[in-house]
Amino acid sequence: MAANQKSGNSLYHPSEGVKMRARIKEYDKLYQESITNREDFWAKEAEELFWYQKWNKVLDDSNKPFYKWFTGGKTNVVANAIDRHLDSETKNKLALIWEGEPGDVRTFSYFALNREISKFANVLKAMGAKKGDIVTIYMPQIPEIIIAMLACAKIGAAHSVIYGGFSVEALAERIADAHSSILITADGGFRRGKPTNLKTIADEAMRRSPTIDVCITVKRTGKECFMENDRDYWWHDLMGMPIASAKCETEQTDAEDPLFILYTSGTTGKPKGLIHTHGGYSVYASSTFKYVFDIQPDDRWWCAADPGWITGHSYIVYGPLINGATILLYEGAPNHPYPNRWWQMIEKYGVNIFYTSPTAIRGLMRYGASWADKHDLSSLRLLGSVGEPINPEAWLWYYEVIGKNNCPIMDTWWQTETGGFMITPLPITPLKPGSATKPFFGNEISVVDESGKAVKHGTEGNLVIKNPWPGMARTILGDPDRFIEKYWKLYEKQGWYLTGDSAKIDEDGYVWIIGRNDDVLKVSGYRLGSAEIESALVSHPAVTEAAAIGLPDKLKGNIIHATVILKDGFSESDELANELKMHVDGEIGPIARPAFVVFADSLPKTRSGKIMRRVLKARALGQEEGDLSTLEE
Ligand code: PRX
């Protein structure tokens, strides 16, 4: 591979070797074509997938902003991710290499994965699941989470995966919102050498949200757990029964049928269940993955996210499997038992493309380069980053220490709502550390002021997307008004999608994401709403009101700072502050635990009663409080 050249203005050029392998040799021309003839571009991409019946219309925009793609078409993501590979040489290729934290390994060829999916699809049917249902999945990072997702899709039921790090209330309210009657979980998983207690959390969530009739539990840790008669079943028992036949027809779903619901945090306390579809989402996840990570038949791909987030849905499961890739899944912590665990796995499995978050990079960078230097990482060709802006220091460390100056970093900007990459380099793009570079094919983006006027180069503004794309979320489950209000209202006249992020575009057209400009926090790359944390705090008997904000943090991007007002009869103490932190942990999960809880007698509010988080932030950081003219007396 030719040596990388670093030019004077800090542009990092991909090596000749990487560029030569890349599918796309030239960006500008293809990009122009893709936005000029957007529907042709996407039709061509869709033609690479299998359809039981071809679409009549590529884009139906008759009811904006509820766009539809490939209407009249019939497909199923499983027909593309599994079934079609069974008739090709991919059949016996490894689909999944899984390593548990204790070091146990399981592998599945496409053929073997299909058997498990088909068997579990039949189990789901026997337990009453059918097309149109929403099945909730709450699992650790074990192969069964992927099998369960694909089994739901195969029978035409939508899955709603709840991240395994969430706790009781987060799980309960998502089950209730989806009216799920089936829950798939596990006794736990291993994290830093200890078993987690998923089933105990699931039991409490089912008590709070009684829609679940059937709960199927995978035995992973062997820890004893409560099993209720006529509700609780072991996965292995069901899979050993005659109901679990290995033959199962894949349901022919409409392009617009829901494939999954994924909840994400917004500006109110109630999480939004975004709906993604079989048709458009499959096309978008597949194309973005193929072009950006340039997957080749002999590649081993590792996306070190949790399958429970959109990154895991699109780039552990669907995008890679549609492309017939070999994926790696690891159960545990990156620094267990030592901080070289990930680097050791890259060497052991010969990973070619590796995708993770800036927080993870910063976390491992702390331990120094020597842990990575112990390992042969020469199999790597491309690296990726997602979830939050990557600071140049972390970018350079990733590039130099992990990529040995040879692997371009694909800093992919996107959201749960977008389904796949929106702004991203390709393997041929000259890189600037910290910039997600340019829009993916088909997308026109802009940075604008409140009125919709594009701001000058280098000026911060609202990041908008000016066109529909196949991977876009179709709506919010049960709340189409909120979908309009949140994403489409501000630039209704122009018909643009509001991302909620602020950004800048430089003179070369490179996009620099600054961060969220609403009350959404990014903590270690996890997305949390201020309001969710606040409602967890006020669910504690001592608290009458609370305000949560994010404070900048070198490692996590942001940490949570909460100001609480106590009810009469309760007094401030360090013990109570700690109790409140643990209360949030128990309701939402450890990721939402505030780093600071401070007590106050009142909260700064506007005359209309809105909490002035800006003022709280300035106070917490010891800065000037700025213009207080709207502050209530
Ligand atoms: O603020 C942006 C940030 O993550 C938000 C979306 O979060 P979520 O829906 O959880 O999806 C994360 C994984 C796609 C965005 O609004 N974000 C995501 N990727 C980047 C990023 N910020 C900067 N650079 C990125 N590459």
Side-chain angles (χ1 to χ4, degrees):
M1 206 179 269
N4 173 274
Q5 337 138 16
K6 181 176 162 183
S7 71
N9 60 358
S10 289
L11 269 184
Y12 286 72
H13 292 276
S15 68
E16 287 310 316
V18 168
K19 285 203 282 194
M20 261 165 54
R21 271 192 80 146
R23 276 193 178 70
I24 300 280
K25 305 288 184 215
E26 207 264 333
Y27 168 80
D28 294 330
K29 185 162 162 278
L30 193 55
Y31 173 72
Q32 277 311 325
E33 280 170 20
S34 75
I35 59 170
T36 316
N37 300 309
R38 182 169 294 116
E39 291 178 41
D40 292 349
F41 176 83
W42 287 118
K44 216 165 126 243
E45 290 301 311
E47 270 156 19
E48 294 199 7
L49 300 193
F50 168 82
W51 296 80
Y52 296 106
Q53 183 179 303
K54 206 179 160 180
W55 56 90
N56 310 319
K57 214 168 164 27
V58 177
L59 171 65
D60 173 356
D61 59 1
S62 57
N63 183 24
K64 292 175 190 168
F66 302 100
Y67 296 93
K68 292 182 181 162
W69 286 85
F70 310 109
T71 49
K74 276 192 186 295
T75 184
N76 184 310
V77 77
V78 174
N80 282 296
I82 302 290
D83 302 352
R84 68 170 174 165
H85 300 314
L86 304 178
D87 296 326
S88 76
E89 56 199 28
T90 312
K91 176 178 172 183
N92 292 319
K93 176 179 172 176
L94 283 186
L96 171 62
I97 303 172
W98 173 82
E99 186 168 307
E101 200 189 65
D104 41 342
V105 174
R106 289 163 73 193
T107 57
F108 298 79
S109 64
Y110 275 86
F111 177 79
L113 193 59
N114 175 58
R115 262 185 80 81
E116 298 303 310
I117 294 162
S118 299
K119 288 181 69 168
F120 195 63
N122 282 322
V123 166
L124 283 175
K125 282 199 215 170
M127 301 313 268
K130 54 186 182 320
K131 190 164 181 239
D133 288 353
I134 303 174
V135 174
T136 299
I137 299 176
Y138 176 63
M139 291 173 95
Q141 299 195 54
I142 53 177
E144 285 81 358
I145 188 172
I146 296 178
I147 294 164
M149 288 165 73
L150 289 156
C152 289
K154 190 172 174 75
I155 64 169
H159 55 71
S160 163
V161 182
I162 315 301
Y163 167 56
F166 272 135
S167 198
V168 178
E169 186 53 29
L171 176 59
E173 69 177 344
R174 287 160 174 78
I175 290 174
D177 188 75
H179 304 290
S180 271
S181 59
I182 300 183
L183 173 66
I184 307 164
T185 186
D187 51 0
F190 290 101
R191 190 84 192 167
R192 292 210 173 77
K194 284 205 243 71
T196 58
N197 277 328
L198 287 196
K199 180 62 166 56
T200 317
I201 294 172
D203 286 335
E204 176 57 20
M206 286 189 276
R207 207 182 54 73
R208 289 193 199 178
S209 172
T211 57
I212 301 290
D213 300 325
V214 171
C215 175
I216 303 173
T217 304
V218 176
K219 193 180 270 233
R220 163 66 184 141
T221 64
K223 255 184 113 171
E224 203 157 318
C225 49
F226 169 77
M227 297 295 273
E228 189 173 295
N229 263 348
D230 296 333
R231 183 195 73 186
D232 282 323
Y233 302 86
W234 287 108
W235 172 293
H236 59 267
D237 283 345
L238 297 173
M239 291 288 265
M241 289 181 180
I243 50 168
S245 137
K247 289 227 161 358
C248 180
E249 281 290 310
T250 301
E251 180 78 27
Q252 302 191 10
T253 47
D254 288 333
E256 283 291 306
D257 278 343
L259 165 60
F260 64 84
I261 317 295
L262 195 55
Y263 286 89
T264 191
S265 300
T267 47
T268 72
K270 197 171 173 298
K272 302 178 280 199
L274 293 156
I275 300 183
H276 286 283
T277 60
H278 274 273
Y281 172 84
S282 295
V283 173
Y284 202 74
S286 168
S287 297
T288 47
F289 180 64
K290 175 181 70 183
Y291 291 128
V292 175
F293 284 109
D294 200 36
I295 197 78
Q296 309 282 347
D298 55 350
D299 276 335
R300 285 191 166 175
W301 156 255
W302 186 11
C303 165
D306 191 293
W309 300 104
I310 191 68
T311 308
H313 280 51
S314 300
Y315 300 112
I316 294 177
V317 184
Y318 293 117
L321 293 181
I322 293 173
N323 280 284
T326 298
I327 62 183
L328 194 69
L329 183 69
Y330 165 60
E331 177 184 34
N335 55 357
H336 187 84
Y338 301 107
N340 63 334
R341 183 66 185 261
W342 276 7
W343 319 134
Q344 187 187 40
M345 286 183 44
I346 290 175
E347 175 175 9
K348 177 173 169 189
Y349 297 107
V351 171
N352 308 99
I353 318 168
F354 179 65
Y355 186 41
T356 186
S357 68
T359 289
I361 295 300
R362 290 192 295 261
L364 292 170
M365 198 173 130
R366 270 189 314 178
Y367 298 105
S370 60
W371 289 100
D373 291 344
K374 286 193 200 352
H375 297 280
D376 176 4
L377 304 180
S378 60
S379 59
L380 289 171
R381 181 172 90 251
L382 292 171
L383 299 172
S385 172
V386 60
E388 51 186 318
I390 182 164
N391 49 310
E393 194 193 348
W395 195 100
L396 285 171
W397 190 85
Y398 196 22
Y399 187 76
E400 287 164 6
V401 176
I402 306 306
K404 314 291 180 208
N405 298 307
N406 246 332
C407 307
I409 299 173
M410 304 296 110
D411 178 358
T412 59
W413 178 90
W414 59 296
Q415 307 177 301
T416 307
E417 291 85 346
T418 71
F421 311 143
M422 299 302 286
I423 305 174
T424 174
L426 295 170
I428 51 163
T429 310
L431 303 171
K432 298 188 187 185
S435 166
T437 74
K438 305 218 173 165
F440 185 73
F441 301 124
N443 295 326
E444 287 170 274
I445 59 138
S446 191
V447 172
V448 299
D449 65 16
E450 291 284 307
S451 73
K453 202 167 138 257
V455 299
K456 282 210 214 74
H457 286 306
T459 309
E460 207 175 314
N462 290 337
L463 179 68
V464 295
I465 299 159
K466 296 173 141 182
N467 53 270
W469 64 100
M472 67 201 303
R474 298 301 191 262
T475 188
I476 295 174
L477 181 69
D479 205 348
D481 293 343
R482 192 171 169 205
F483 182 71
I484 297 177
E485 179 64 37
K486 173 74 190 61
Y487 305 111
W488 304 94
K489 194 89 197 161
L490 188 61
Y491 300 114
E492 191 178 12
K493 222 172 52 217
Q494 298 90 337
W496 297 342
Y497 167 84
L498 178 70
T499 64
D501 276 19
S502 63
K504 296 179 194 176
I505 300 182
D506 72 14
E507 311 251 303
D508 300 326
Y510 278 54
V511 183
W512 299 78
I513 306 292
I514 316 279
R516 299 292 308 190
N517 57 7
D518 50 12
D519 294 329
V520 170
L521 306 178
K522 277 272 164 171
V523 180
S524 299
Y526 296 112
R527 178 166 162 180
L528 294 162
S530 297
E532 272 174 290
I533 302 162
E534 289 157 5
S535 68
L537 283 165
V538 296
S539 74
H540 187 280
V543 178
T544 178
E545 231 192 317
I549 53 166
L551 297 181
D553 181 75
K554 266 205 145 95
L555 190 64
K556 298 182 167 182
N558 285 285
I559 47 174
I560 300 164
H561 177 285
T563 308
V564 298
I565 304 178
L566 294 178
K567 285 187 187 148
D568 283 347
F570 290 90
S571 41
E572 312 178 358
S573 68
D574 290 347
E575 289 73 43
L576 182 56
N578 284 333
E579 190 180 317
L580 293 175
K581 289 178 194 171
M582 292 318 292
H583 179 71
V584 178
D585 187 319
E587 291 293 302
I588 310 180
I591 51 171
R593 189 192 308 149
F596 302 100
V597 170
V598 300
F599 300 98
D601 296 329
S602 66
L603 293 173
K605 287 190 183 161
T606 61
R607 285 184 198 99
S608 58
K610 244 187 121 205
I611 297 170
M612 294 178 78
R613 293 175 211 278
R614 168 180 69 75
V615 174
L616 285 172
K617 193 164 174 180
R619 282 181 193 166
L621 296 172
Q623 294 168 344
E624 290 285 318
E625 293 184 11
D627 176 12
L628 296 180
S629 58
T630 55
L631 189 69
E632 187 190 40
E633 283 308 308

